[in-house]
Amino acid sequence: VSAFVFAVLAGAVTGLLDPERLTPRWEFQLDMLALQVLLFGLVYRYAVREGDNNIYQQAGVLSAFVLPRALFLVEVSPECVPAPLSCGPPLGYLNWNMLAQLGKHLLTGGLVLGACLYGLERSFSVGLIRRFGGAAKVTDA
């Protein structure tokens, strides 16, 4: 619950700052972000188990959701040519406009899912929810 609250607040703030707000595309993307927050919460709970205190594992789960979303939301510039994709400076594959879009989507996705991660960790620490237990230990009989 608290993870959802933190994520919704972050999503609402970043959503309202979007200059393309209140369009069908914006609403669809916001709905898909809400679905992604739900899936992130489920995956995170099972991926970061009891006894795991590895910040790299936590960051890896976060990155596995933030990076593909950000890359998928980048709109290819009209000046790009295919086979092989070439869009101009500074990187050839990504131009300045595409890099700006990527940065925006990394920031907004990172804020929303980072807030969800914070909410999950707080919920774990106060006992509101529990991490998924580790694998059962095998003992010799």
Side-chain angles (χ1 to χ4, degrees), residues 98-111:
M98 294 166 69
L99 285 172
Q101 291 178 59
L102 180 60
K104 172 190 163 195
H105 295 308
L106 284 171
L107 179 67
T108 58
L111 284 173

Side-chain angles (χ1 to χ4, degrees), residues 44-78:
Y44 186 82
R45 181 173 178 257
Y46 291 102
V48 181
R49 298 173 177 234
E50 275 183 25
D52 289 343
N53 197 14
N54 185 340
I55 192 144
Y56 297 113
Q57 184 179 18
Q58 295 169 348
V61 175
L62 181 65
S63 298
F65 278 81
V66 172
L67 187 58
R69 177 184 181 274
L71 290 168
F72 184 74
L73 289 174
V74 170
E75 293 182 29
V76 176
S77 298

Side-chain angles (χ1 to χ4, degrees), residues 15-129:
L16 291 174
L17 295 176
D18 191 343
E20 297 176 17
R21 66 186 173 278
L22 303 177
T23 63
R25 179 172 185 222
W26 172 82
E27 183 178 351
F28 181 77
Q29 286 179 350
L30 205 56
D31 292 345
M32 294 307 103
L33 182 58
L35 177 61
Q36 187 177 16
V37 165
L38 175 68
L39 291 172
F40 173 79
L42 291 172
V43 169
Y44 186 82
R45 181 173 178 257
Y46 291 102
V48 181
R49 298 173 177 234
E50 275 183 25
D52 289 343
N53 197 14
N54 185 340
I55 192 144
Y56 297 113
Q57 184 179 18
Q58 295 169 348
V61 175
L62 181 65
S63 298
F65 278 81
V66 172
L67 187 58
R69 177 184 181 274
L71 290 168
F72 184 74
L73 289 174
V74 170
E75 293 182 29
V76 176
S77 298
E79 60 268 9
C80 295
V81 293
L85 184 64
S86 178
C87 297
L91 302 177
Y93 196 80
L94 297 169
N95 63 20
W96 288 112
N97 178 35
M98 294 166 69
L99 285 172
Q101 291 178 59
L102 180 60
K104 172 190 163 195
H105 295 308
L106 284 171
L107 179 67
T108 58
L111 284 173
V112 171
L113 292 171
C116 182
L117 186 147
Y118 175 77
L120 285 166
E121 287 296 328
R122 286 287 299 148
S123 297
F124 293 146
S125 69
V126 300
L128 188 59
I129 57 175

